[in-house]
Amino acid sequence: MSSALSPQRAKATATAAASAASADPASRTSSPAPLTSSSPSSSVASLYRNWSTAMSSPELRPFMYLPSLAVLDFAFAVRTASQAQFIIQKVCLSHYLSRGTSLLPLPNDSIKCDAPEVQKEIAEFNANCLAMILVPSLFTSIIVGYSSDIIGRKPIISMVAFAMLFAMVTPYFVVSFDLPYQAFYLPDLLLGLVGGFAAIGSVGFSSLVDLTTTANRTRVIGTYSGVMVCVSLTAVAVGGVVTGNPSVGHLEAFLPVFRLSAILGVIGVMALVFGTTETLPTKSAPTKSSIKTIVSTPVTILKKSWPALSRIPLAILALQIVLAAGSFRYSFDTQLSNLRFGWGTRDTSIFGFVERIVGGILSGVLLPTLEGVLRRIFNRDALKTSAGAEAEAGAYPQALETSPLLGGAAGSPSSSSSSSGPAPAVDVEDAKSNVLHEDEQRKVTVKIHTTLVRFTLFGSLIGALIFATAKKGWMWFAGLPFIGLTGITSTCIRLTISEFVTPAQMALTNSIVGFIDTVVILFSTRLAAFLYPDYYFLSAAVFALDLAISLIVKVRPPPPNEAVSFSESSPSPSATSSSENSGEAVHSA
């Protein structure tokens, strides 16, 4: 009997619960929704919420840009070698078609892309593409960089991202709709109008500075650099495999890699725009006054540049300017390798893969190693000189004997003012450098960097001569460790400049030096296009001139002031007092 009535009892219980739920709004609201299959839009929304929550944590927020930038870097790098080869073939075909030459059927043996007049036209086109970026960015890079300090990083980054997207989808439309090769001028011009590569680098670096602290900045930037190198290497390899080495006239072979680049570009831009947040702590809406300030920024910077530039030795400025004149080779290397060695997309991709590996080893391994060895040598010499000069007072010998950093007695005068507890483990050579006065440390640093400049310029000169006279493709591979030293040279020159200016003048100095570099690169690229295919002799002449300047002209030591703080944790009394007295002046500057 009970078993027969149990279904009725269950039904009555369910009916009572349903009526109670309908009568109570709170219970109706809190009742669980029936299990249904989630729609794609809800899944995307849930994923976006989870991503936003994760990126709001202090540990992960500095890496907010990493996924989107990795996708964009892959999209750019995957088409680099393919686009260079495509331009060579497109310009070559257009050259003959414009003269009424019959090219059918394709491939046609009458197509001679290695003809001098064809090579000159290709070189001119590459130089014009670079000019489309550099000429507008002479002024817009400063405006864009300054605007990001007022209206925020996010609007500027989004604007630059869409310009990059236009550059990534252009090759796909040129192939699909058989557009003239002059269509490549449009994305380059747009990149120049939004600030060019200088604005991309400055605003991106400023965003990372906003997201990091002094304690984790080096680690975060190192992580970004490492990931980008790995992504770039993978993209170059994938682009070479996908495209292969198509013969002249088969432009449709480039379509798959261009389609891949365009799709990844859309994904990367969407992730950058919607997956990141503003990094500038304080921003303001554009006003009439701020817009006027932004527009007049280039003139203002030019007026204020002389006090900063006057602090830098002319020899260092000359080195930087002359070195910039030798940076045009990347615009013509693909064309020259195709002319000399018959390299196709796959071959140039392999070369670019190896070039990136060599560059990473030189900058990440060789530079720190050489700098560490030279610092030990020059610190020792500086300590001996200081100890001899102050032998009567005995200041340096006493500091060396009693400093707890060097294992001095715990009760010595030098350690009496230190905090209690065991002394931290410090490298002996770093401890010796801390004994030196700040001005002596800066002199040692300048001496290290100028020595490295001479060494790397000599290697770059050898590399330029190898590239200029190479008859076989393997010779270019052999010259990579030498020509790759130019990256170290540029880094050392910039680091030397930083020793002569105050932190308040650093951004101003970098802006005006970048402006000068852009002008020099613009004219040197035109000269290289005129000299093509012998432009590597121009590079060799530039490196030889730079080397002569570094050997003949002696760089004066940096002025004795608080241009650089070498010991943030324990500043010297003089630096502390001077910073207190000049705080208002530095803020005004």
Side-chain angles (χ1 to χ4, degrees), residues 34-52:
L35 296 177
T36 57
S37 59
S38 59
S39 62
S41 59
S42 62
S43 300
V44 172
S46 177
L47 182 63
Y48 180 77
R49 286 193 299 269
N50 294 336
W51 168 261
S52 300

Side-chain angles (χ1 to χ4, degrees), residues 344-359:
T345 304
R346 185 176 302 166
D347 304 312
T348 52
S349 297
I350 294 174
F351 181 78
F353 184 87
V354 176
E355 185 177 24
R356 284 170 171 81
I357 292 179
V358 172

